[in-house]
Amino acid sequence: MSSFRIFDIAGSAMSAQSARLNTVASNLANADAVAGNPDEVYKARLPVFKTLVEPGSQDSAGVQVLGIVESGKAPEKRYEPGHPLADAEGYVYAPNVNVVEEMVNMISASRSYQSSVDVMNTAKELAMRTLTLGK
């Protein structure tokens, strides 16, 4: 593996964690939205990752974001007959977003992103020191 491949790997990890942070932000922004129909309510979004493998070996070569999927969990059904969006039976439907889980995901993604930044900075510093060895 090339010494500079570390930048590609760390960059792909940063990209993946950025996608994760974006989905968390979207989920948190819509956590309090309600609808009068369970099909219209916001559904939590989750990123799907895939490990990239170095061709011809078993070595990991980064991570790829395959896409963003909606959670399959059912929305929360609340009895609020006075709500303007309530259905004929008096129910509104809240998103299947767990704010505590989303905050944990946000902290984890943020720390993973920072770790990848640290890896890139360390690799850059080592490359710069290698270049100055001949002086």
Side-chain angles (χ1 to χ4, degrees), residues 38-39 41-42 73-77 93-96:
D39 297 329
V41 72
Y42 177 85
K73 290 196 294 189
E76 180 185 338
K77 187 176 180 180
Y93 300 87
N96 56 359

Side-chain angles (χ1 to χ4, degrees), residues 52-107:
L52 299 175
V53 179
E54 188 74 33
S57 75
Q58 297 294 334
D59 295 337
S60 178
V63 64
Q64 176 184 12
V65 180
L66 291 180
I68 308 296
V69 297
E70 289 183 344
S71 171
K73 290 196 294 189
E76 180 185 338
K77 187 176 180 180
R78 296 182 194 160
Y79 184 68
E80 295 182 21
H83 196 286
L85 293 176
D87 63 10
E89 297 173 358
Y91 288 97
V92 293
Y93 300 87
N96 56 359
V97 175
N98 182 324
V99 176
V100 174
E101 285 179 13
E102 294 299 329
M103 293 300 291
V104 170
N105 277 333
M106 181 178 61
I107 292 168

Side-chain angles (χ1 to χ4, degrees), residues 17 34 44 50 60 79 83-84 99 110-111 132:
Q17 295 308 323
V34 294
K50 176 185 175 186
S60 178
Y79 184 68
H83 196 286
V99 176
S110 177
R111 288 184 179 168
T132 61

Side-chain angles (χ1 to χ4, degrees), residues 2-11 14 115-133:
S2 166
S3 312
F4 296 105
R5 187 83 174 112
I6 190 69
F7 293 107
D8 294 335
I9 294 169
M14 290 170 61
S115 294
S116 296
V117 169
D118 291 343
V119 166
M120 288 187 100
N121 286 335
T122 301
K124 179 181 125 188
E125 185 178 327
L126 290 172
M128 294 303 290
R129 285 186 183 178
T130 302
L131 291 173
T132 61
L133 282 177

